[in-house]
Amino acid sequence: MLRLSVGALRTRWQLFAGAVVAVALGVGLVQSGLQMLAATDHPELPAGLSAYRRAQVREGYVGAATLLGMSVVLAVFLSVFIVSTTFGFMTVQRRREFGLLRLVGAQRGYLCLMVVIEAGLLGLVGSVVGLPLGVVATWAQSWLLVRLGMLPGWFEAPWDQSAVWAAMVVGVSTALAGVLAAAWRASRVNALDAVVEGSATRRVMTGWRWFWGLSAAFGTVVLVIAAQAARDLVAGLMIGLVVMISGSVALSQLSPIVVPLVGRVPTIVVRGNLIADLARAGVLHAVRRSAATAAPLIVLVGLVVGLWGTFGSLAKAVGVEQERLITADVVVDHAVAPGPGIVAASAQTAVPITVTRGKSTVYSEAIGIDTAAYQQTHKLRPRKGSLDRLTGRTIAIGPGMAVEGYKLGSVLKVALGNRRIAVKVVAIMPETLDVSENFFIPRSLLPAGGRTETLVKLAPGTAMDGQTVEEWAKGRGEVQQRSNSGLFAALMGLAGIFTAVAVVNAVVMSTADRRREFALGRMAGMTRGQVVAVAVVESATVVVVGVLLGALVAAAALAGIAAGPYGLAALAIPWRLLGLIFASALVVVGTAAALTAYRATSRRLGTC
């Protein structure tokens, strides 16, 4: 049995190459991720850092650990997905081989175990290849996280032998987890499949695939309706995150049905041309091939574009909300003295603060305000207490800390500059989308320094140099978007690499079944260039369909945001990102299709 498994890997190494690469990438990322997680769990901070700076560094370590954990989970999931796709496709191609083994007496368990051993060997090879990648990935991730500002420049991830062994275990386990469904299908092959092509070979949509596809589709429709009915931004965001997953699963499972249906649309434009007609026939009739190529693109576009649009919309909603909460006309970056034409000038100075409540300590920023001017330029009012009482040794809890359990009338110990005093909580502000304002203090408590901006309300007909409130509010949203963009750029790059491996893997595997088709085309009078062109146009059509269906998933996820209280004003559609994915997919898939078709047509006619 081991000899048969090794022989299968050796004779079909080109078809298994994509799965090996996926496992190797997964092992490398798991190894580097575990090493860096160990380093961020117990950070070594240099002496001489202030308490506020130490808190900032620790907060960056927490963000880095979150990103690393997400990348490890994503790498494992995508590795299982690619291995599952590879062996699922391979099982269909090898039905005759499995039927012959059944014909000579092999039992179902023998076939199942043979495929599992192949996957184990593939996982072992991928793990060995992935270990050197882990060293490179550790350096690359450290550099990236330092550039993103999550980790300090002195960060180092020392070698951890336990991370290496854990990564190898994950690599083999990933391969075994991905092959289970394919091994079961291989064990169901009958001896009759050795001599005749049965209906099982032609059937792409199995009962379980119908069940999971329709269930996910039904759940997605229900969630979209619920998001529309809720008319709440936060509810729309949360539901949208689930819709991305359920919608991607639904269209991926139903791709053998929906891809040919949607594939009729782009081919109508170029109908009547020989190459276009043959490509159209390939998309419509070779549904297994089309679905295998489109499914990774559906998942990529649905998740990445949906996530980027969701958090971009959240950042945009921050700006819209701030614009509606501010009654001032101009914002300047310095203090403004009262004068003609100035109705109110609310100076807001941010300074570091340490707040101790019981055994917990928070390192943050406090904003020194004049309560009368603040209330003249802001619509936001406390949900408990009153800002009129913010005088002397008092403090107000800002929107960023509104849900942290602070109680009205409680006494907190704070450190402002070199002063350590006790202050009383006199107001608790309501929660808002902008969580940058955590504490408010009277201006009399401000230490020296800090950064000041002033919101100025002008009399009619008066002008002043500075940012308009619209520009200022938009900038607040952009700051939040920039803090998220690095995180999602890293995850998007990781997902893009695995998707490229998946689609190239699907193209390479499907080409193995098309040598006879290409040879017959040559014998019918087509040139080698025309055969390659058919493969490229067919692949480009599948890319268009995959991106369209993925965009449909992303649109469904963003529908709840558009129905929220801020409407289309808070909706951010990442057109540039969608265009980048589409162009990249066309290049990657088109190049893979051209190269594999060119190589498949390199044989002489009559040797197919």
Side-chain angles (χ1 to χ4, degrees), residues 96-255:
R96 181 176 176 83
E97 175 190 336
F98 293 146
L100 287 171
L101 289 173
R102 291 298 310 279
L103 197 62
V104 297
Q107 300 299 313
R108 296 186 186 277
Y110 183 93
L111 296 181
C112 183
L113 185 58
M114 185 180 76
V115 176
V116 169
I117 291 175
E118 291 176 7
L121 292 172
L122 183 147
L124 188 59
V125 173
S127 298
V128 173
V129 174
L131 293 181
L133 293 178
V135 178
V136 178
T138 301
W139 173 84
Q141 289 194 96
S142 300
W143 175 84
L144 177 63
L145 292 175
V146 170
R147 285 292 302 270
L148 292 177
M150 292 183 174
L151 295 177
W154 65 78
F155 174 79
E156 290 183 359
W159 178 263
D160 189 345
Q161 189 63 38
S162 60
V164 175
W165 292 114
M168 291 194 69
V169 171
V170 169
V172 176
S173 302
T174 295
L176 294 177
V179 82
L180 293 178
W184 183 85
R185 285 197 296 271
S187 69
R188 312 312 298 172
V189 175
N190 296 314
L192 189 60
D193 287 304
V195 293
V196 64
E197 182 181 0
S199 59
T201 307
R202 297 186 298 270
R203 187 174 66 247
V204 180
M205 291 298 298
T206 62
W208 280 111
R209 191 160 190 165
W210 275 113
F211 172 77
W212 290 114
L214 292 177
S215 298
F218 176 76
T220 301
V221 172
V222 171
L223 288 171
V224 171
I225 294 174
Q228 294 282 320
R231 296 190 177 278
D232 179 78
L233 180 66
V234 177
L237 289 170
M238 295 300 102
I239 293 174
L241 294 175
V242 181
V243 167
M244 292 173 214
I245 299 173
S246 62
S248 298
V249 170
L251 290 183
S252 295
Q253 292 296 310
L254 298 175
S255 56

Side-chain angles (χ1 to χ4, degrees), residues 514-537:
R514 304 186 71 181
R515 294 185 184 276
R516 182 177 177 83
E517 173 191 335
F518 291 156
L520 290 174
R522 295 289 307 279
M523 293 174 67
M526 295 179 65
T527 65
R528 190 180 187 185
Q530 287 177 317
V531 172
V532 172
V534 169
V536 172
V537 172

